[in-house]
Every structure is written in C-alpha cells, then in structure tokens.
Amino acid sequence: MSTPINDASKARITSLDPARAKKLVGAATALLVASVALSIVAALVDRQRFAFSYLTGFVWLATIGLGALFFVLIQHLTRAGWSVIPRRQLEWLTGLLPASAALFLPVAFFAHDLYHHWMGPEAHGDPLIQKKAAYLNPTFFFVRAAVFLAVWSGLSLWFWRTSRKQDESGDKELTLRMAARSAPAIILLGLTLTFAAFDWLMSLDPHWYSTIYGVQVFSGSAVSSLAALALLTLALERKGILEGITTVEHRHDIGKLLFGFTVFWAYIGFSQYLIIWYGNIPEETVYFRERWEGPWKVVSLVLVFGHFVVPFIALISRTAKRSRFVLGAAAALILAMHYVDIYWLVMPTLGERGAVPSWVDVCGLIGPLSAGLLVIARRAAGGPLYPVRDPRLAESLQFQNT
Amino acid sequence: MNPETQSREPRRAKKPLNGNHVPSEVIDSARSGASPSVAPASVHALMGWYETPGELYKACEALRDAGYQRFDAHTPFAVHGLEHAMGLRPSRLPWIVLGGGLFGLVGSVLLAWYTQGVDYPQNISGKEAFSYQAFIPVFFELTVLCAAFATFFGMWSMNKLPRFFHPVQTHPSFERATDDLFFISVEAADPKYDRVATKRLLASLGAHELCEVGS
C-alpha cells in the first residue's frame, strides 16, 4: 500500500548523543547513591514504616516492568507492525525486572517486619494460618520469590538481548523466534505475576483473600507501564530525538491503550468491590472497611477520581489522545496514581497512621525509582533508540490510524 | 464520505451516458415503481477509475487543491491517509456517540433510581432501596449499549442508508471497486464542476473509463 506520507529512506538519528547519554547515566547514578544513604537513615529512624514504604516503592517499580514485559510479549505474539518503534522503549522498561531482583533484597531483609502475621511466632496460635501453612511459610515464600524474579529477569533479558542482536545482524529469524517464545512466556508471566501479588501484597493480611487480586495488580501494572511508555516517547520527541520516527499516530495508539487499560483497572477494582459488598461477609468486607474509614477514605476517593474518573474523561476524545500535552499530563497522573494504588494495597496494614504520608515514604520510593532511572538511562544510552533492523520497521514508520 | 444529496443546481441537460449498460429509463422506472418516469434524468457525477491507490491518492489531492468539495473515492480496501488527501473534515460521529453514551448513563441512573428507590422500594439483604453499587453494572452496560446504538444508527443515517440504488452503481465497471479498481466520482453538484475541465483534470492523472453517471 503506498501512502506517500512517511518516507522511511531518509537518514535519521538512531541513538542518543553520547555526551547527553553520559550525563543522564551520571545523574541517575548520583541519585541512586543519595537514595541509599537516605534509605539507611530512614530505616534506622523508623524501621517498620520504612519496611512498608520500601515494599510500596519496590512493587511500584516492579509492576511497571511487568506491564512493559507483558506488552513486549503481546507485540511479538500478535506480530504487531505499528508498535515496532515504541517496543524499544518498552524493552528499556523491562530492564526494571532484573533490577527488581536486586531490589528485592531489602524486602527479604525486612520480611519479618512486613509479614509478621504469618512469619512470626503469633502464627502458631492462629488456626486459620496453620491451615495455610503449607503454602504460607518462610522457606517456600523465599523459594517462590526466587523463582518469580528468575523467570522475570530471564524473560526480560532474553527478549532484550535478542532484539538488540537483531539491531546488529538484521536476522529475520530472530523475529520468528521471539514470536514463538512469547506464547509460553506470557503464560509464565501471568502465573508468576498472580502468585507474586498473592505473596508480596495479599499475604500482608493473611486472613483475607480475593481470587481477583492478581488481575487487579496486573491491571495496575499494564496501565502504569503504558503511562511510562507515553512519557518516555514524549520526552524523546520533545528533545527532537525521535523526530519523524514516532508520529502522532503512535501517540494516538499509546493513548488508546492507556485509555482502555484505565477502564480495565476500574472494571477489575469494581468487580472485586461489588462481590464483596454484595456478599457482605465480615471476614471479606474488613478489607474495604479498613480502606473506607477515617483518613483512608480520602485515599480511596483520590484513587477513584485520580486513577479513573479524571484520566477517563481527559483521554476520551481522539484529539486528546493525539495531543502531547493531554497525553503527557494523563500519563504523569496515572504513574503517580499507580503509586497511590500500591500504597492503598500495602499501607492499611499499618492502620490509620499508614494513611498519612511521611518523609519515610519518600525514602522508600526514591531507592527503587533511582535504580529504575539508572537502568532506563543505561539502556537508552547503550544502543539504537528503535529496532533499526526489525523486518516490520517500515510498517511502523508508515503506520496510520484510519 | 460526502453524503449523497439531490442536486439543487439547475439541472444539466441530459447527455448520453457514455458506455453505460444500464439505460437511465430503466433506472428511473425502477426507482419510481412501475410507472414510466417522465422526470428528466440528471447527471449525478463524473466517474472514472485508477489502477493503483497511489494514483487515486494523487487525484484526490489534486481535486482537493483545485477546490473541489463534493467528490468521493471508492476503493476495495481502506487506503490510509486518504481522508487527508481528500481534505475531509473530522467526522461528527463521535459527538453522536457521546450523546448516546450520556443518554444511556443518565437514563439508566434514572431508571434504577425511580424503579428501586421511588416506585417499588424493597429491602434486599438490609441494603438501602436504591443502592447505586448494585446498579453500576447496569449503568455501565446501558451506557455502552446506547453508545453502540448511536454509533451504528448514526453512521447509517449520516450515510443516508439503507438505500437500494445509488447513481455511482451505474458506472459500467463499478463492481470492480470491490475487487481491483480505485474509483473516483466528482459530483455534478460541486460548484467547481465543469464537465470538460474536470474530465481533463482526472484524465491527466491517468483516469480510465471516465463517464458521467446519473439517474
């Protein structure tokens, strides 16, 4: 099909300017060093609060990486043409997963503070937890965590390296191999993400359970990774780096996905709420009672409006999805709200004082955040900004929304 | 694309339909029932075809740049970017969809509130008579349903569908618009329309089988 709009033959910038790349990596490294120092101070001052704050920050970062891995796999699985260019930014984001394997160490260190209900001695007198002990015991917990992190890092690194290998060789066989492996990979990702959500978040209150919990965490990771992708793409466009490579058409599609998954997040969140509200069984409703009383009600309302109502209305129009400003603002809001979402899952364990933000929360976030920025900066600096020799690159360059 | 409207311009003189294998008398009588029509057949549009979407695209750009507004393209598949080449304004359909969605949302809230809260309140497991939580799936579904209906019927009415006949169908090769040819039709109602000049413009861009179609 000939559409004389985009001309793929012109020479274009394919990688970051080395000086700028070095500056980015340097800034991220400095931030990481500062954040380690801050984290140690916070952990010494308020160990318990810091453990929970760090878990929030860690899960926030890991879920963005998981959502990005999900979309990389989906693009291979569906042999998508339009997304070849933005796939590279998603591949940068999957770098958050190997980083998460290292960032999990503090969670393991604080595990007894976080999961004392079932890890500590109080579990022995609790018949309900005794029934769950075959699954919910420290040894199996750490084995599972190791498996999850190994699977995620392995998948993320294999797909990243294969894609980078194709940048060098242009071997079309690699595209087929990635498509073939994406199918089993996505099954593994679905299972590990669900059980990681059970282990790391739902077990904070070991009496309570919800079968939709994994999907809820997944919906948050999908929407947040799209928000991160939108911001990365806009940042590159703003510097004029991807000029003529990513177009308004790619932005429009990222906006559509962001809009759709915003609705999906609300849909799943409400599905969980409706069933528990309708059943009205005290051991289930306690989850929402904790989050709908006192200061937590404010946090819940912020989520309903900030994570759903406002982005939904802001992104509903085609013009809004194609606008740099509206898409960027909505993406920034959703990324911030994803933090609030994880906070809403984790912090009620601390009771009412958990609802009041503290400087320790900032310390818990800044470590994972700066590690994530460092990974993204290194990947951005280390190679082409889009898959330069992907066989479907021309299709992506010429992509048009009808 | 441009909705078909009856020409309000002074009717042009009837011309023999070049290569048209459906005589206009037959069409006229088909449209107005069994009685033989006495209304003069009028020219609807000048039509021709191109072999490639690229040629069609260039022809649309040329028509747009020459100031034509009432012309249409008929292609076997979607040609991306053609709406820009044709200079089409954004569709008004999204506004109709929004209206349908809002109607569904407001209507379903009123329905649930009136039936459950006012007209026939019931005590269901101790919850309030009008518990909005229970009806959110209804609000959602009716919003989506009404928006979908608005999309479907809005599209049909904006395209003046259904209709069993359109003058462009009388072009001798028009069935190949669903196969391998890329048609262009310039309506006689376009203020810029001139039988000779328009024909020359399209022919200079490689159009084949240019002829005027009518009813």
Side-chain angles (χ1 to χ4, degrees), chain A residues 48-264:
Chain A
Q48 195 199 25
R49 175 98 198 187
F50 179 75
F52 284 91
S53 299
Y54 183 82
L55 180 68
T56 310
F58 165 75
V59 173
W60 178 79
L61 189 84
T63 44
I64 296 172
L66 287 167
L69 181 59
F70 168 73
F71 282 109
V72 169
L73 295 178
I74 282 285
Q75 306 314 322
H76 287 306
L77 199 57
T78 56
R79 304 187 173 180
W82 76 272
S83 57
V84 168
I85 294 160
R87 199 189 74 218
R88 176 51 48 89
Q89 279 73 49
L90 285 168
E91 286 168 351
W92 295 351
L93 287 169
T94 61
L96 302 178
L97 294 173
S100 297
L103 289 166
F104 185 76
L105 291 175
V107 177
F109 180 76
F110 290 117
H112 284 270
D113 299 270
L114 294 165
Y115 309 108
H116 62 91
H117 289 299
W118 58 270
M119 274 195 186
E122 56 200 286
H124 296 303
D126 191 324
L128 212 55
I129 290 175
Q130 288 307 311
K131 293 265 187 215
K132 299 184 180 184
Y135 182 85
L136 223 47
N137 62 72
T139 316
F140 196 21
F141 173 85
F142 288 117
V143 170
R144 282 194 308 268
V147 170
F148 302 152
L149 294 164
V151 167
W152 298 343
S153 307
L155 289 178
S156 138
L157 288 174
W158 188 82
F159 279 91
W160 165 247
R161 286 189 184 143
T162 311
S163 181
R164 287 284 288 110
K165 218 185 284 170
Q166 194 175 47
D167 289 347
E168 313 293 333
S169 70
D171 185 2
K172 293 183 174 63
E173 200 58 37
L174 295 175
T175 297
L176 296 177
R177 206 176 301 161
M178 286 192 282
R181 296 213 180 158
S182 59
I186 214 157
I187 297 173
L188 273 179
L189 176 65
L191 288 171
T192 48
L193 192 157
T194 304
F195 282 95
F198 290 165
D199 282 11
W200 300 347
L201 299 174
M202 203 167 85
S203 82
L204 288 168
D205 182 355
H207 287 167
W208 184 85
Y209 66 91
S210 159
T211 46
I212 207 173
Y213 202 88
V215 188
Q216 197 195 1
V217 172
F218 163 75
S219 67
S221 43
V223 76
S224 60
S225 66
L226 286 167
L229 169 66
L231 289 180
L232 273 177
T233 308
L234 288 171
L236 289 170
E237 272 183 37
R238 213 177 112 147
K239 301 274 180 197
I241 297 169
L242 284 182
E243 189 84 58
I245 297 166
T246 59
T247 63
V248 62
E249 306 295 337
H250 299 105
R251 191 155 69 233
H252 187 183
D253 260 23
I254 295 170
K256 281 189 267 184
L257 284 169
L258 189 63
F259 177 74
F261 276 92
T262 304
V263 178
F264 181 66

Side-chain angles (χ1 to χ4, degrees), chain A residues 341-358:
Chain A
D341 187 24
I342 304 294
Y343 191 92
W344 187 83
L345 293 175
V346 170
M347 286 295 183
T349 323
L350 288 176
E352 286 204 350
R353 81 186 174 96
V356 186
S358 139

Side-chain angles (χ1 to χ4, degrees), chain B residues 83-180:
Chain B
E83 69 273 21
H84 302 298
M86 294 175 69
L88 292 182
R89 286 187 306 276
S91 168
R92 289 187 307 276
L93 190 61
W95 291 104
I96 299 177
V97 179
L98 181 68
L102 286 175
F103 172 79
L105 179 63
V106 174
S108 59
V109 171
L110 288 175
L111 176 74
W113 166 78
Y114 179 72
T115 56
Q116 305 298 312
V118 179
D119 193 40
Y120 205 84
Q122 296 172 80
N123 183 342
I124 297 169
S125 61
K127 292 177 164 57
E128 284 177 37
F130 175 54
S131 294
Y132 68 90
Q133 296 95 328
F135 299 105
I136 284 182
V138 179
F139 302 160
F140 175 76
E141 298 296 346
L142 274 172
T143 306
V144 173
L145 182 71
C146 290
F149 276 149
T151 315
F152 185 74
F153 292 112
M155 192 279 288
W156 279 62
S157 78
M158 285 173 76
N159 285 306
K160 307 223 161 122
L161 291 172
R163 55 191 303 170
F164 300 109
F165 171 78
H166 193 285
V168 297
Q169 293 166 344
T170 62
H171 189 283
S173 304
F174 192 65
E175 62 268 24
R176 286 177 71 189
T178 60
D179 182 9
D180 60 347

